[in-house]
Amino acid sequence: MWRTRAAAACVICRSLANSSCGIKRKSPLQNLHLVCHSIHHPSYPSSKFQRPPLRISIQLFSSLNRLPLRKTKLLNVKYGYQFHRNFWLARLASRLLKVRYLILGSAVGGGYTAKKTYDQWKDMMPDLDEYKWIIPDFVWELDELIDFEKLIKALPDADDLAKLLPDFDKIGESFASLKGFLSPGAPGETAFRATDQGYDNDKQFKKVSDKEKIDQLQEELLRTQLKYQRMLERLEKENKELRKLVLQRDDKGIHQRKLKKSLIDMYSEVLDILSDYDASYNTQDHLPRVVVVGDQSAGKTSVLEMIAQARIFPRGSGEMMTRSPVKVTLSEGPHHVALFKDSSREFDLTKEEDLAALRNEIEIRMRNSVKEGCTVSTETISLSVKGPGLQRMVLVDLPGVISTVTSGMAPDTKETIFSISKAYMQNPNAIILCIQDGSVDAERSIVTDLVSQMDPQGKRTIFVLTKVDLAEKNVASPNRIQQIIEGKLFPMKALGYFAVVTGKGNSSESIESIKEYEEEFFQNSKLLKTSMLKAHQVTTKNLSLAVSDCFWKMVRESVEQQADAFKATRFNLETEWKNNYPRLRELDRNELFEKAKNEILDEVISLTQVTPKHWEEILEKTLWERVSTHVIENIYLPAAQTTNSGTFNTTVDIKLKQWTDKQLPNKAVEVAWETLQEEFSRFMTEKKGKEHDDIFDKLKQAVKEETIKRHRWNERAEDSLRVIQHNALEDRSISDKQQWDAAIHFMEETLQSRLKDTESVIEDMVGPDWKKRWLHWVGRTKEQNIRNETKNELEKLIKCNEDHAAYLANDEVTTVRKNLEARGVTVDPCLIKDTWHQIYRRFFLKSALNHCNLCRRGFYYYQRHFVDSELECNDVVLFWRIQRMLAITANTLRQQLTNTEVRRLEKNVKEVLEDFAEDNEKKVMLLTGKRVQLAEDLKKVREIQEKLEAFIEALHQEK
């Protein structure tokens, strides 16, 4: 093919040499067209060519290609040897032939530029190797189905292509016809004069119009950039739709498979785990994330919303809205949705209702995270935003830096915001997105000083100037904006400087309208037309691309180092566990809670295995202990003071009825509930030998207390119990001798217990007797001596009258007092009555015990209703009625316990355990100790290391 082209080019040379141009001597071929031989005849020696540079050098910028184009140089062709002065035809032919080579050079340069642009576009396009399954298999088998060699042979050969070239002989004849038109007189001089004059005019014209040309070229450059920007946006939109179709699940498709988790989601999970990790290891701050900092109302949230392409944050006019750090994970997905880390609800960001609900949820979470008495919180809210065309990165929106604490804020709000910002920015791998309000004076900025302290060299800082539209209107000198963008007005340095517009200040604006306004502003802005700003420094789109590139570069550089650090930490923790707890499993706090939960539920189930006999014995005993005092003091003793059996029975019936209606059922339910608590506590606190783990003691105690607090006895139980007790106490018929003897035994035990208590009280009143005084060397106090003398005097009174009433008359009190005064003992009447109460009580109990012994053989008289007998055993019948009521009540309560209350208690225990399981603070408070913390750290480190290794593997696969 190249030989054919060479032959065709040589035809041009021969046609020019043989044409009748009026030249007497034919010029040699090599002198007529040296360029032809330099190209088509490489063996022929050619002259050296020089390329003078262009006078105007233009550095083009395109969003497609950020590299500046090289300066082009044209060849300075020497036009052969001069045989005569009038070689005007040769000059004219040479100049006209330049057009050919300009076309040829343009074709070669255009081909090279097209190839380079194709390679760049190829690099920018996403890797679709994972989506080869979308293309049918027959496409990949086309090379086997089609014979491409036959197609090549069917194409025309080089000779046929040469025939398509123009007729250069006719072009030469056209040149000859121009000779008469251009040379009326002396051909050579006129041609040279015209040429020189034209050159001088061109030179003068260029000097005059350089400025205009520069303006025109700048306008053309701007139009070209905008043109390519529109092309880029159009292609990105098409690419966005294609990727959306690829990521979307096709319900009717043949290929159904689960898409892999994206890189950014894997990385975000690592950061979420690190946020809960113990800060003492200081590793959670070494992984990259984009930290968005700025003064309050500088437009931080608006910039983040433009990057996320949705109005997702609550807004307020001048009010502090960002009250806690918000971690936003941006990733690509088929639908534009948002969801929280701890929730499964997806908010559709294309619907205004879901956007309003999302903003409200974020505001509620922020306010709930702020503790009482504070304005801001250090608790991080994790939010994930997915959508087609979103740049993958992790951003953290921090509360705006303030200069003054206003009313309604906590006094330490300013210092707290500074500490939060420093904690995030001091991470050596964090990318600082410094937001500066362009509509206010640069001298009022606070955040720039803070950023310059954290990153003095600006190796990880990106400066963003917001509200540039307002700045251009308000700033008198546009050069000031350029100085801000170039970082000359601030002490801070940065990797890059960007200018963005975040809307017209209307909170109801949509993202699309803000984008259109931003593009329209920068198209008409003097900042671009006067080259104060470069095209890649404007719009949030370019900012998003730059931040994403910087973020992933930082991730690739640091993630492997962090994985190695966690590997070393894991080895240290595992070694410590083996040395301290060699025989125990590595159970973290959640696993320990599950183990304790199972033990507690087993212990609650053990309540159902308690025998009915055990329940009834405990209930009967506890209930009598609770009501015995009331029975003796308020029922038995008052009734025993009566003179006959009829009055005794009447008094007993009345008092038993009153007791049953008001107090007895309530006391019985209280006893049953306390008994259930005691049994539940016994099972919960009972140690089980070697298997007992004291690490659960605090948790079990807390579960027991919370369960008891929540449990309520069935309200209807008292009503049914009252009827049963009333019927039991009304029955007086003792059916056999065994029940009679059981009643006497019960009565004896009760009276002996009361007598013992009374003896103890009297001993405390009168002091130790002579034996204890001699054996233990103790004496009586003055009051005890007085009471002892009073006791002796009252005992004489009882011996004189064994049928004495329970109370002393006033004259008897006076007699006792005078007798004591006669022996030199001064006594108060109240002391005499108080001592009499205990002396008579002891006398009465002893008499009742003697009467109880007499009634052992009285069952026969009882069956005959004590007819023809002086023996009356109504007190035995009373104690039998009490004993029977206790047995029936215990049986009824046992049935309520086993059938209802134990199950309700078990349900309450399960509810308490479920609540504790959801409350991490409660688990941390109840499950403590070095063993728990070590297992917790070990689990976290393992999980983080595994996540990091999976992320690194996926990162290498993407490469």
Side-chain angles (χ1 to χ4, degrees):
M1 293 297 293
W2 66 269
R3 290 180 180 177
T4 305
R5 291 194 297 269
C10 292
V11 172
I12 302 172
C13 300
R14 293 190 186 95
S15 64
L16 291 175
N18 297 327
S19 62
S20 56
C21 301
I23 300 175
K24 295 179 180 180
R25 183 180 177 181
K26 292 183 179 180
S27 298
L29 181 61
Q30 65 272 19
N31 293 335
L32 286 176
H33 206 279
L34 296 176
V35 178
C36 176
H37 278 275
S38 66
I39 296 175
H40 304 295
H41 303 283
S43 61
Y44 188 84
S46 60
S47 300
K48 298 180 178 179
F49 301 99
Q50 297 179 355
R51 298 181 180 179
L54 290 176
R55 295 184 179 180
I56 300 173
S57 176
I58 302 172
Q59 183 176 355
L60 297 178
F61 176 83
S62 172
S63 59
L64 301 176
N65 182 11
R66 298 184 181 179
L67 296 176
L69 300 175
R70 294 183 178 178
K71 297 178 180 179
T72 59
K73 297 181 180 180
L74 298 177
L75 294 174
N76 186 15
V77 183
K78 295 183 179 180
Y79 296 104
Y81 303 98
Q82 300 179 4
F83 297 99
H84 298 281
R85 290 183 59 86
N86 51 353
F87 49 91
W88 56 272
L89 184 58
R91 287 176 59 89
L92 180 60
S94 300
R95 290 190 179 182
L96 291 175
L97 287 175
K98 282 185 179 180
V99 178
R100 173 180 176 272
Y101 292 104
L102 288 175
I103 295 173
L104 180 62
S106 300
V108 174
Y112 172 74
T113 304
K115 182 179 181 303
K116 189 174 181 181
T117 304
Y118 169 75
D119 293 339
Q120 291 177 356
W121 270 94
K122 185 178 179 182
D123 295 338
M124 292 173 61
M125 290 298 289
D127 187 8
L128 299 178
D129 291 341
E130 297 181 1
Y131 310 110
K132 287 183 178 181
W133 55 272
I134 298 177
I135 302 175
D137 295 335
F138 72 88
V139 176
W140 307 108
E141 300 173 357
L142 285 176
D143 56 345
E144 300 177 2
L145 301 175
I146 300 175
D147 191 353
F148 290 100
E149 294 183 358
K150 292 182 179 180
L151 290 176
I152 294 172
K153 292 179 180 180
L155 294 174
D157 55 6
D159 296 335
D160 295 335
L161 291 175
K163 294 178 181 180
L164 300 176
L165 294 174
D167 191 353
F168 293 100
D169 293 334
K170 293 183 179 180
I171 295 175
E173 293 175 0
S174 300
F175 290 155
S177 64
L178 289 174
K179 175 208 172 210
F181 178 76
L182 295 174
S183 58
E189 295 179 359
T190 305
F192 272 113
R193 189 179 299 113
T195 305
D196 295 339
Q197 185 178 1
Y199 178 75
D200 294 338
N201 291 335
D202 291 341
K203 185 176 181 180
Q204 185 178 1
F205 176 76
K206 288 179 180 178
K207 289 182 179 179
V208 174
S209 60
D210 278 348
K211 185 176 181 181
E212 296 178 0
K213 285 187 176 181
I214 290 174
D215 294 338
Q216 292 177 1
L217 290 172
Q218 287 180 349
E219 291 289 340
E220 185 178 356
L221 176 62
L222 185 58
R223 286 195 297 271
T224 305
Q225 290 174 354
L226 294 175
K227 175 184 175 183
Y228 285 136
Q229 186 71 26
R230 290 192 209 98
M231 291 175 60
L232 177 63
E233 290 176 357
R234 179 175 58 81
L235 292 173
E236 284 180 348
K237 186 176 181 180
E238 294 176 358
N239 186 26
K240 179 178 176 181
E241 294 297 329
L242 289 174
R243 292 183 68 87
K244 181 177 179 180
L245 292 175
V246 169
L247 294 173
Q248 217 169 13
R249 288 179 178 272
D250 187 7
D251 295 336
K252 300 181 180 179
I254 300 174
H255 303 280
Q256 293 285 345
R257 67 172 188 171
K258 186 177 181 180
L259 296 176
K260 292 182 179 179
K261 187 176 292 185
S262 64
L263 273 177
I264 193 63
D265 291 336
M266 297 171 66
Y267 186 76
S268 180
E269 287 182 0
V270 175
L271 295 181
D272 289 336
I273 298 171
L274 282 170
S275 64
D276 300 330
Y277 187 58
D278 189 1
S280 62
Y281 289 96
N282 198 23
T283 52
Q284 68 274 23
D285 289 334
H286 290 174
L287 284 174
R289 71 264 283 164
V290 181
V291 180
V292 185
V293 295
D295 298 331
Q296 184 178 347
S297 302
K300 298 184 291 69
T301 303
S302 299
V303 171
L304 206 155
E305 286 180 336
M306 290 294 292
I307 295 175
Q309 300 182 14
R311 307 299 293 268
I312 58 178
F313 290 103
R315 317 189 70 80
S317 56
E319 183 183 357
M320 177 184 289
M321 299 305 297
T322 306
R323 297 179 176 270
S324 65
V326 181
K327 182 177 75 68
V328 182
T329 303
L330 300 180
S331 60
E332 195 170 18
H335 306 289
H336 203 185
V337 296
L339 65 158
F340 292 96
K341 179 187 73 172
D342 54 354
S343 175
S344 59
R345 179 186 176 183
E346 284 191 352
F347 296 88
D348 190 349
L349 301 184
T350 60
K351 297 180 180 178
E352 189 59 36
E353 298 82 5
D354 283 17
L355 278 172
L358 177 61
R359 290 192 290 266
N360 185 46
E361 181 68 19
I362 292 176
E363 186 174 2
I364 291 174
R365 287 174 179 255
M366 284 184 182
R367 296 189 181 277
N368 291 339
S369 66
V370 177
K371 297 180 180 179
E372 186 177 356
C374 300
T375 306
V376 294
S377 170
T378 59
E379 183 179 342
T380 303
I381 299 174
S382 295
L383 179 68
S384 177
V385 178
K386 298 181 180 181
L390 293 183
Q391 298 298 319
R392 302 176 301 169
M393 65 183 106
V394 177
L395 303 102
V396 181
D397 186 21
L398 300 180
V401 179
I402 60 175
S403 58
T404 305
V405 177
T406 59
S407 60
M409 292 185 179
D412 61 343
T413 302
K414 180 179 178 181
E415 291 75 15
T416 304
I417 294 176
F418 268 82
S419 63
I420 293 173
S421 302
K422 288 181 178 180
Y424 277 91
M425 288 191 292
Q426 69 185 2
N427 175 7
N429 296 321
I431 301 167
I432 304 173
L433 196 62
C434 180
I435 310 297
Q436 172 63 33
D437 190 350
S439 63
V440 299
D441 295 334
E443 291 78 8
R444 294 167 57 186
S445 176
I446 307 172
V447 71
T448 51
D449 294 334
L450 183 62
V451 172
S452 61
Q453 295 175 10
M454 296 293 103
D455 185 22
Q457 302 300 323
K459 295 182 179 180
R460 49 189 181 89
T461 300
I462 297 177
F463 181 82
V464 182
L465 186 67
T466 61
K467 306 178 185 178
V468 184
D469 52 342
L470 299 179
E472 189 178 27
K473 293 179 183 178
N474 301 332
V475 177
S477 176
N479 294 330
R480 187 172 179 83
I481 298 178
Q482 185 179 9
Q483 291 176 353
I484 295 175
I485 291 294
E486 294 176 355
K488 296 179 179 179
L489 288 182
F490 298 108
M492 59 173 289
K493 299 178 182 179
L495 282 173
Y497 299 87
F498 290 86
V500 298
V501 175
T502 56
K504 301 178 182 179
N506 186 3
S507 60
S508 61
E509 287 181 288
S510 64
I511 296 296
E512 293 299 327
S513 63
I514 296 175
K515 280 184 178 181
E516 293 175 359
Y517 174 70
E518 185 181 42
E519 292 176 2
E520 181 182 356
F521 168 76
F522 282 117
Q523 286 178 8
N524 303 321
S525 175
K526 296 180 181 179
L527 299 175
L528 274 182
K529 291 182 179 180
T530 57
S531 299
M532 291 184 184
L533 295 176
K534 297 178 181 179
H536 70 275
Q537 290 182 301
V538 298
T539 71
T540 50
K541 180 66 176 178
N542 290 333
L543 171 64
S544 177
L545 291 171
V547 174
S548 179
D549 292 341
C550 188
F551 170 76
W552 284 106
K553 180 182 177 183
M554 192 73 75
V555 168
R556 290 184 178 94
E557 291 176 353
S558 61
V559 68
E560 292 187 0
Q561 181 181 359
Q562 292 301 308
D564 294 339
F566 277 106
K567 186 176 181 180
T569 305
R570 175 180 177 177
F571 176 78
N572 295 335
L573 293 175
E574 288 177 346
T575 303
E576 184 178 358
W577 181 274
K578 290 178 182 177
N579 293 334
N580 294 325
Y581 311 102
R583 298 182 180 180
L584 294 178
R585 288 180 56 203
E586 301 164 1
L587 300 178
D588 63 355
R589 188 171 279 110
N590 291 330
E591 292 171 340
L592 287 172
F593 181 82
E594 290 298 323
K595 183 179 179 181
K597 177 181 177 181
N598 294 331
E599 288 188 6
I600 293 172
L601 292 177
D602 291 341
E603 290 162 358
V604 173
I605 293 175
S606 299
L607 282 174
T608 60
Q609 300 175 357
V610 177
T611 61
K613 182 180 180 181
H614 179 73
W615 280 118
E616 292 180 7
E617 288 178 354
I618 296 175
L619 289 169
E620 186 174 353
K621 179 181 178 182
T622 308
L623 181 60
W624 175 239
E625 290 176 356
R626 186 67 59 85
V627 301
S628 59
T629 302
H630 180 83
V631 171
I632 299 298
E633 301 294 335
N634 298 328
I635 298 177
Y636 175 60
L637 289 179
Q641 304 302 318
T642 57
T643 56
N644 55 55
S645 61
T647 308
F648 177 87
N649 292 330
T650 302
T651 304
V652 167
D653 290 342
I654 293 173
K655 291 186 176 295
L656 286 178
K657 181 70 169 56
Q658 294 174 351
W659 183 45
T660 305
D661 292 339
K662 296 180 179 180
Q663 300 180 9
L664 183 58
N666 186 26
K667 289 288 184 181
V669 171
E670 289 181 1
V671 167
W673 174 221
E674 291 177 2
T675 303
L676 180 60
Q677 293 182 38
E678 291 175 359
E679 290 297 306
F680 177 57
S681 301
R682 181 173 66 85
F683 282 109
M684 292 283 286
T685 58
E686 186 179 15
K687 295 184 178 181
K688 299 175 177 60
K690 296 181 179 180
E691 297 180 358
H692 178 72
D693 196 345
D694 56 0
I695 204 171
F696 300 143
D697 291 346
K698 290 176 67 176
L699 176 61
K700 290 182 178 180
Q701 182 67 21
V703 171
K704 183 193 75 172
E705 293 176 356
E706 185 65 22
T707 303
I708 292 173
K709 188 186 299 183
R710 295 186 185 185
H711 187 79
R712 294 290 181 273
W713 201 274
N714 190 1
E715 296 178 355
R716 298 179 181 178
E718 291 188 13
D719 297 334
S720 59
L721 194 61
R722 181 178 292 107
V723 175
I724 294 172
Q725 290 172 340
H726 183 72
N727 294 332
L729 289 174
E730 283 184 349
D731 188 9
R732 301 180 185 178
S733 58
I734 304 176
S735 59
D736 52 18
K737 182 70 167 55
Q738 184 177 0
Q739 294 182 6
W740 180 268
D741 293 339
I744 291 177
H745 179 71
F746 175 62
M747 180 179 176
E748 282 184 342
E749 286 184 347
T750 304
L751 295 178
Q752 287 176 357
S753 175
R754 293 293 166 179
L755 180 60
K756 184 177 180 181
D757 295 339
T758 304
E759 293 283 356
S760 178
V761 172
I762 293 174
E763 184 177 356
D764 292 337
M765 290 173 61
V766 301
D769 56 3
W770 65 272
K771 290 183 179 179
K772 291 183 179 180
R773 291 199 302 271
W774 282 98
L775 293 175
H776 301 286
W777 290 87
V778 292
R780 291 173 176 170
T781 62
K782 182 178 180 181
E783 183 179 358
Q784 287 176 343
N785 286 325
I786 294 174
R787 284 187 177 274
N788 185 54
E789 294 295 332
T790 306
K791 179 190 72 112
N792 295 333
E793 189 69 21
L794 292 173
E795 286 178 347
K796 293 178 182 178
L797 182 62
I798 290 178
K799 287 180 180 179
C800 295
N801 184 11
E802 293 182 353
D803 295 331
H804 198 285
Y807 302 99
L808 283 174
N810 291 332
D811 55 347
E812 292 176 331
V813 173
T814 303
T815 303
V816 171
R817 182 171 62 82
K818 289 182 178 181
N819 292 337
L820 292 174
E821 288 178 354
R823 294 200 299 268
V825 179
T826 304
V827 118
D828 186 71
C830 294
L831 187 143
I832 297 173
K833 292 181 179 180
D834 186 31
T835 306
W836 166 258
H837 177 73
Q838 298 299 331
I839 297 300
Y840 181 82
R841 183 185 181 86
R842 182 179 62 178
F843 170 75
F844 175 79
L845 292 174
K846 288 181 178 179
S847 301
L849 283 172
N850 293 330
H851 181 71
C852 184
N853 289 328
L854 294 175
C855 290
R856 287 182 182 276
R857 293 172 293 179
F859 180 70
Y860 172 75
Y861 298 104
Y862 165 76
Q863 289 178 328
R864 298 182 60 186
H865 303 287
F866 300 104
V867 177
D868 299 333
S869 173
E870 296 180 356
L871 183 64
E872 293 182 356
C873 297
N874 295 315
D875 49 358
V876 176
V877 176
L878 170 63
F879 277 94
W880 178 82
R881 295 166 67 183
I882 297 293
Q883 187 183 30
R884 186 169 179 272
M885 183 272 299
L886 292 175
I888 293 175
T889 302
N891 181 269
T892 305
L893 292 175
R894 190 266 307 167
Q895 292 180 5
Q896 292 181 1
L897 281 172
T898 56
N899 296 336
T900 306
E901 301 303 327
V902 172
R903 294 180 182 178
R904 292 178 62 234
L905 182 69
E906 182 180 356
K907 181 180 178 182
N908 290 336
V909 170
K910 290 180 179 179
E911 291 177 355
V912 171
L913 289 172
E914 289 176 359
D915 293 342
F916 283 8
E918 296 176 358
D919 192 348
N920 291 326
E921 294 182 359
K922 184 76 71 174
K923 288 191 286 188
V924 171
M925 182 177 63
L926 297 177
L927 294 173
T928 58
K930 180 181 178 182
R931 168 186 156 195
V932 181
Q933 192 61 45
L934 185 59
E936 192 75 13
D937 293 339
L938 190 53
K939 179 194 174 185
K940 289 285 186 182
V941 170
R942 284 175 177 169
E943 186 177 4
I944 294 170
Q945 185 191 3
E946 292 173 359
K947 295 284 186 182
L948 280 176
E949 289 177 352
F951 173 73
I952 293 171
E953 183 179 356
L955 193 64
H956 291 328
Q957 290 177 357
E958 188 180 70
K959 281 186 178 180

